[in-house]
Amino acid sequence: MSLTKEQINELAEHLENAELQAHDVKKITDKYPDMTMAEAYEVQWEIRRRKEARGNRIVGMKMGLTSRAKMEQMGVDTPVYGFLADYFEQPEAGTIDISKLIHPKVEAEIAFVTKAPLKGPGCSVGAVLAATDFVMPAVEIIDSRYENFRFDLISVVADNASSSRYVTGSRIADPRDVDLANIGVVMEKNGEVVEVGAGAAVLGHPATAVAMLANMLGERGEEIPAGSVILSGAITAAVLVEAGDNVTLRAQGLGSLSFRFA
Ligand code: OOG
Ligand code: MG
């Protein structure tokens, strides 16, 4: 580690303030070009600690950059994780206040809700499916705190993988009853189809991303607790939204969900 604990804390405060005040900042590797991935995750865990100290609950986790569409869109090649705090969740059919966000984008995902803990190393897709209570369609609203949504892997990990908001559909399904690799999703903005994809875009099967998350957390001695919401990563590229936009996600066999930005 080349950064001191004080520098990690300062970076966490800097990035969290950008999130809470909805303003963009320069990517942190401009100032700390030698920062490591381990240090980037330290910053993210410090942001998480700050939120918990303020009384926010951590309700789950997300994987990001798990599909080719996303890796190509963002110019990076390795999946990353982030955490989900209670206030990230937004109701279906509701309105998201865009003034609290910087330059949000929407992406289609499958959410898993666990009924048993998942711990790596050695966590498999079978273990994920056995520990899954149900799956739901989800739209993640990402909002990088970096100028023009441009970053490298280290900067985005420190910035909690651009996590901002998410909306889940109300139709739940047993993962045994849906073919998650072949599930089709259609995302619409203002009634027009903007992205389509299939579950297999996420590492061949969305549950693979959840297993990868458990294995990454296992390296820190952490696990996915029972009752967590896990966003498995965007199936499609992310689409920029603005005030007034309506977003709908239709997921084959899992119904649809809609919400708007104002
Ligand atoms: C990083 C977060 C990516 C996903 O589902 O791929 C992500 C970003 O693109 O800003 O959430
Ligand atoms: Mg995502």
Side-chain angles (χ1 to χ4, degrees):
M1 295 265 280
S2 60
L3 296 187
T4 64
K5 182 63 188 149
E6 284 67 40
Q7 286 170 316
I8 298 281
N9 293 352
E10 257 171 48
L11 285 169
E13 184 178 5
H14 171 67
L15 290 172
E16 202 205 8
N17 282 346
E19 178 224 317
L20 297 174
Q21 297 160 12
H23 64 74
D24 60 9
V25 294
K26 296 214 173 318
K27 66 177 164 49
I28 57 175
T29 47
D30 291 353
K31 187 167 174 196
Y32 296 105
D34 299 328
M35 195 169 164
T36 64
M37 189 55 90
E39 289 167 333
Y41 275 111
E42 285 308 316
V43 174
Q44 183 190 124
W45 280 85
E46 176 59 23
I47 295 174
R48 173 178 174 144
R49 196 200 58 74
R50 290 171 62 87
K51 292 197 187 301
E52 288 188 286
R54 219 178 284 121
N56 291 131
R57 265 181 331 111
I58 304 305
V59 296
M61 300 290 291
K62 56 109 37 107
M63 283 296 278
L65 308 172
T66 48
S67 64
R68 192 140 306 282
K70 283 290 305 185
M71 292 187 203
E72 279 172 7
Q73 183 178 30
M74 306 321 295
V76 291
D77 60 1
T78 312
V80 299
Y81 68 76
F83 65 82
L84 303 174
D86 46 13
Y87 68 95
F88 295 5
E89 185 177 4
Q90 300 291 307
E92 184 185 357
T95 302
I96 295 180
D97 180 359
I98 209 159
S99 72
K100 295 200 165 64
L101 309 177
I102 306 164
H103 40 205
K105 294 184 183 181
V106 291
E107 38 185 44
E109 309 212 4
I110 302 295
F112 290 68
V113 176
T114 56
K115 61 183 175 191
L118 279 167
K119 201 170 170 62
C123 182
S124 63
V125 167
V128 170
L129 295 175
T132 298
D133 198 0
F134 53 86
V135 292
M136 308 178 275
V139 172
E140 185 181 23
I141 297 102
I142 52 169
D143 194 28
S144 174
R145 267 56 69 171
Y146 299 119
E147 288 174 351
N148 305 315
F149 234 105
R150 294 183 61 88
F151 48 68
D152 46 47
L153 217 44
I154 293 199
S155 294
V156 71
V157 163
D159 183 32
N160 193 23
S162 308
S163 303
S164 174
R165 300 285 186 269
Y166 67 94
V167 179
T168 54
S170 50
R171 189 178 313 173
I172 65 173
D174 187 313
R176 292 164 191 78
D177 298 337
V178 266
D179 181 359
L180 288 174
N182 287 315
I183 192 172
V185 296
V186 177
M187 191 165 63
E188 294 174 13
K189 186 169 93 169
N190 303 326
E192 278 183 26
V193 174
V194 284
E195 290 288 340
V196 295
V202 173
L203 302 173
H205 190 295
T208 310
V210 183
M212 186 182 273
L213 171 65
N215 291 326
M216 290 170 86
L217 291 172
E219 286 171 26
R220 294 181 68 95
E222 303 276 351
E223 61 178 31
I224 302 174
S228 300
V229 180
I230 311 295
L231 298 179
S232 54
I235 294 170
T236 61
V239 176
L240 195 64
V241 287
E242 50 190 45
D245 283 344
N246 280 284
V247 175
T248 297
L249 177 68
R250 300 177 202 291
Q252 199 183 0
L254 287 178
S256 65
L257 68 93
S258 295
F259 59 95
R260 61 189 287 271
F261 290 91

